[in-house]
């Protein structure tokens, strides 16, 4: 395998830290804020649930009501997985004078670690948490333990499709995918139609991607393949016309990982690097790439000759929902509610707070503000996100991946 990254395995370190912090979270820090109890323990969960109810996180209030209260708070603190939060900050402050936005752009892994560490020490700084699930870490370490709370006002969720309307553990304004990118100057149609294509000699050393040890989104895709190994088996037969023969692996998914690694994928640090390398002009035989579908927003800006295919056997990807939560004991809880409404499109779906995320390669969960220039949600052949399975199996996959390198 070809690597273009440092040897440090960032995701491994982050998850190890999460487990260490979570293990001691119920006893870390006697100090509390707002009468809360210790983060992570049974008493802390009960107190956090009571705080959420007392602060109306189960209610739907009007924007005017929230704004009047939020102005008394004066600011809102957001821990964000996306750098586009800077655009949200600008539009929110313009819409709601008197409320300043303090936005911190971090990876989901860093956000999880920071929230666990802060609340374990009795520090409650964040108001809004904007994250993906990171192989089930957010669901297991934050939502279940009530370090963050769901806020799903009825006038927003009424416009959403299932499962985000009533079965989601937090407000999901949109989701994205891992997509396969190809150079449109060279390939007029997608050169890959089956994941097993990536094990063929013509793609040896020609597939660019983020290392799943460093990228939770990439790991989630491979975990979804492992969960649906039966579909990977069927895709093998569709590609080669015969049943798969395993070579020391437990199922077709792990056999795919083994053969794919043997075909020398090039590991890069970000999806930006992937799409720029794939979409550069004047390439004789350009590589293909696996990266964040939302990077399609950069095609025009960076003048990239690139497209993504969503028609790949057995499925193109696993959904990657982006969640908005209110942090436990948020000091500016009304401003947090107002911010979440703003980022989710507000009741009419038209707020400027959602515009930075309503891009090519992202799919709104609402019926009133999605894009029409890409496949609809009902046309995407994707796996559902199973946070319990991902959290229970990421160590197993990680160890296999590292052993095969």
């Amino acid at each position: 395998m070809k690597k273009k990254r440092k040897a440090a395995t960032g995701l491994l370190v982050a998850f190890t830290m999460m487990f260490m912090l979570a293990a001691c979270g119920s006893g870390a820090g006697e100090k509390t804020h707002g009468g809360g109890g210790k983060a992570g323990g049974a008493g802390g969960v009960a107190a956090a649930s009571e705080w959420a109810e007392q602060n109306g996180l189960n209610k739907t209030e009007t924007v005017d009501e929230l704004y009047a209260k939020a102005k008394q708070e004066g600011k809102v603190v957001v821990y964000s997985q996306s750098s586009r939060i800077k655009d949200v900050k600008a539009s929110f402050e313009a819409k709601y004078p008197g409320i300043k936005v303090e936005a911190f752009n971090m990876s989901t892994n860093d956000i999880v670690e920071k929230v666990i560490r802060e609340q374990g020490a009795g520090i409650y700084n964040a108001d809004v948490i904007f994250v993906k699930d990171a192989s089930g870490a957010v669901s297991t370490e934050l939502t279940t333990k009530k370090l963050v709370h769901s806020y799903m006002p009825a006038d927003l969720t009424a416009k959403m499709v299932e499962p985000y309307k009533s079965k989601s553990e937090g407000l999901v304004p949109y989701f994205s995918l891992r997509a396969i990118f190809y150079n449109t100057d060279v390939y007029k149609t997608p050169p890959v139609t089956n994941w097993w294509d990536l094990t063929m000699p013509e793609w040896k050393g020609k597939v660019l991607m983020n290392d799943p040890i460093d990228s939770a989104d990439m790991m989630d895709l491979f975990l979804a393949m492992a969960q649906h190994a039966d579909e990977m088996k069927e895709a093998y037969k569709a590609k080669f016309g015969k049943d798969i023969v395993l070579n020391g692996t437990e199922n077709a998914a792990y056999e795919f990982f083994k053969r794919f690694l043997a075909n020398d994928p090039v590991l890069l640090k970000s999806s930006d690097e992937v799409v720029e390398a794939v979409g550069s002009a004047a390439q004789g035989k350009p590589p293909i790439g696996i990266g964040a579908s939302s990077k399609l927003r950069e095609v025009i800006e960076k003048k990239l000759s690139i497209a993504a295919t969503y028609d790949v056997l057995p499925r193109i990807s696993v959904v990657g929902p982006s969640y908005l939560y209110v942090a436990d004991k948020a000091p500016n809880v009304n401003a947090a509610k107002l911010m979440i409404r703003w980022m989710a499109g507000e009741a009419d779906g038209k707020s400027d707070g959602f515009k930075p995320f309503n891009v090519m390669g992202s799919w709104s969960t609402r019926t009133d503000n999605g894009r029409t220039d890409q496949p609809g949600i009902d046309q995407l052949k994707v796996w559902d996100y199973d946070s319990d399975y991902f959290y229970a199996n990421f160590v197993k996959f990680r160890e296999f991946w590292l052993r095969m390198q």
Side-chain angles (χ1 to χ4, degrees), residues 42-77:
V45 168
S49 297
E50 183 179 354
W51 177 88
E53 184 175 354
Q54 290 175 345
N55 284 275
L57 297 189
N58 59 346
K59 296 180 179 178
T60 299
E61 299 154 283
T62 69
V63 170
D64 289 341
E65 289 172 331
L66 290 174
Y67 184 32
K69 296 175 184 177
K71 281 192 291 186
Q72 299 301 311
E73 295 167 342
K75 72 174 183 177
V76 59
V77 179

Side-chain angles (χ1 to χ4, degrees), residues 342 344-355 366 368-369:
W342 186 245
E346 259 304 344
D348 62 2
K350 298 178 181 179
S351 79
D352 288 344
F354 182 61
K355 288 181 180 179
R366 297 173 57 145
D368 60 348
N369 65 357

Side-chain angles (χ1 to χ4, degrees), residues 298-347:
E298 299 178 0
V299 170
I300 297 176
E301 177 186 339
K302 296 184 177 180
K303 299 180 180 179
L304 299 175
S305 300
I306 199 170
T309 177
Y310 301 113
D311 188 14
V312 178
L313 291 176
R315 299 175 191 258
I316 179 56
S317 189
V318 61
V319 293
S322 291
Y323 293 89
L324 286 163
Y325 296 105
V326 176
D328 188 35
K329 300 174 191 62
N332 307 295
V333 64
N334 295 292
K337 295 178 190 177
L338 198 62
M339 172 60 81
I340 287 176
R341 294 182 63 92
W342 186 245
M343 294 178 67
E346 259 304 344

Side-chain angles (χ1 to χ4, degrees), residues 127-347:
D127 298 308
V128 175
I129 305 296
F130 180 38
V131 289
K132 289 188 177 179
D133 204 349
S135 301
V138 171
S139 297
T140 305
E141 300 298 340
L142 298 190
T143 61
T144 301
K145 298 177 181 179
K146 301 299 183 182
L147 276 64
V148 298
H149 300 281
S150 172
Y151 174 62
M152 301 181 68
D155 57 347
L156 269 64
T157 59
K159 310 290 181 63
M160 290 182 173
V161 299
E162 293 293 1
Y164 310 105
K165 182 175 183 175
S166 62
K167 300 175 184 178
S168 178
E169 61 186 14
L171 191 71
V172 178
Y174 71 94
F175 66 80
S176 56
L177 311 170
R178 293 279 110 173
I180 295 179
F181 294 97
Y182 62 95
N183 187 295
T184 52
D185 286 341
V186 175
Y187 302 107
K188 302 309 177 186
T189 59
V192 171
T193 58
N194 188 314
W195 279 105
W196 287 96
D197 290 343
L198 305 188
T199 66
M200 300 300 290
E202 58 264 34
W203 296 114
K204 188 174 182 66
K206 301 289 287 185
V207 179
L208 313 182
M209 57 176 279
N210 311 138
D211 190 337
I213 302 302
D214 291 333
S215 167
D217 289 335
M218 198 70 229
M219 179 174 278
D220 287 347
L221 170 58
F222 286 160
L223 286 170
M225 289 181 179
Q227 184 179 17
H228 299 279
D230 55 335
E231 294 185 34
M232 294 298 291
K233 180 179 179 179
E234 294 170 1
Y236 179 92
K237 189 167 186 177
K239 167 70 178 175
F240 298 106
K242 59 183 179 180
D243 291 331
I244 191 170
V245 176
L246 303 180
N247 296 303
T249 56
E250 65 179 86
N251 58 43
Y254 278 90
E255 185 67 23
F256 169 77
F257 304 146
K258 181 178 180 179
R259 297 189 192 185
F260 179 52
L261 282 168
N263 219 27
D264 291 335
V266 180
L267 305 183
L268 303 179
K269 289 196 67 69
S270 71
S271 288
D272 294 283
E273 292 180 324
V274 171
V275 297
E276 288 172 11
V278 172
S280 298
Q283 298 189 65
K285 186 178 180 183
I288 58 172
I290 307 169
S293 57
S294 60
K295 292 301 176 182
L296 284 171
R297 70 184 186 271
E298 299 178 0
V299 170
I300 297 176
E301 177 186 339
K302 296 184 177 180
K303 299 180 180 179
L304 299 175
S305 300
I306 199 170
T309 177
Y310 301 113
D311 188 14
V312 178
L313 291 176
R315 299 175 191 258
I316 179 56
S317 189
V318 61
V319 293
S322 291
Y323 293 89
L324 286 163
Y325 296 105
V326 176
D328 188 35
K329 300 174 191 62
N332 307 295
V333 64
N334 295 292
K337 295 178 190 177
L338 198 62
M339 172 60 81
I340 287 176
R341 294 182 63 92
W342 186 245
M343 294 178 67
E346 259 304 344

